[in-house]
Amino acid sequence: MKKLLSNLLISISLFIAVQAQVFAGAGGDLIPVKMSNIQLNPISMREAESLVGNEDVYFFDVNTLELWAEGFIPGAVYFNVKNWKELLPKNKDAVMVFYCANTLCTSSAMAARETVKLGYTGVRHMAEGIYGWRLSGRVIEKP
């Protein structure tokens, strides 16, 4: 129970920190706007894990630099930058998986929606984020 409570408090703290960074403009031009009616295409961690290492699949980490430095999904690209549009593949049908900290974090959902607005069709959203990934014992990389 103590571990669960501790993980919950850490998740809430990180959520607040991530949101403060995004709302302060640390994410370049990913400016929070009214939630759009664009439905996100969810992806499970199991399905995402099966795509790791596939050169035709792009993983985008929409966390702060501090969270990125703690580890990310192997092959993921740090997405929370001003020139984020330049990171997107030329193929608008490419599979792209966006994630941030956890289910409380909205940064990756905002990034995924903005990418869909640009005409990309293979956009997926992994709501469990890097914390869900790590807690499940999956492999991470560090910069």
Side-chain angles (χ1 to χ4, degrees), residues 4-5 12 20 27 44 64-65 80 85 109-110 125 130 133 141 143:
L4 177 64
L5 184 57
I12 291 170
S44 69
T64 63
L65 274 175
N80 208 355
K85 291 178 185 174
M110 289 182 345
H125 180 248
I130 194 62
W133 189 270
E141 284 183 358

Side-chain angles (χ1 to χ4, degrees), residues 2 13 16 22 32 34 36 38 42 49 53 86 93 103 113 116 122 129 131 133:
K2 283 184 180 181
S13 298
I16 291 168
V22 170
K34 289 183 191 176
S36 75
I38 295 174
E49 184 178 37
E86 295 173 17
D93 295 324
T103 56
R113 283 188 177 96
V116 169
Y131 284 107
W133 189 270

Side-chain angles (χ1 to χ4, degrees), residues 51-99:
L51 299 175
V52 170
N54 183 331
E55 64 184 45
D56 297 326
V57 178
Y58 301 84
F59 283 83
F60 293 113
D61 186 308
V62 194
N63 285 304
T64 63
L65 274 175
E66 292 82 8
L67 288 179
W68 168 261
E70 291 177 14
F72 50 89
I73 293 174
V77 173
Y78 182 69
F79 196 77
N80 208 355
V81 296
K82 277 188 179 253
N83 63 337
W84 62 270
K85 291 178 185 174
E86 295 173 17
L87 300 174
L88 300 173
K90 290 186 186 339
N91 177 2
K92 294 220 174 188
D93 295 324
V95 175
M96 294 176 279
V97 179
F98 288 83
Y99 68 91

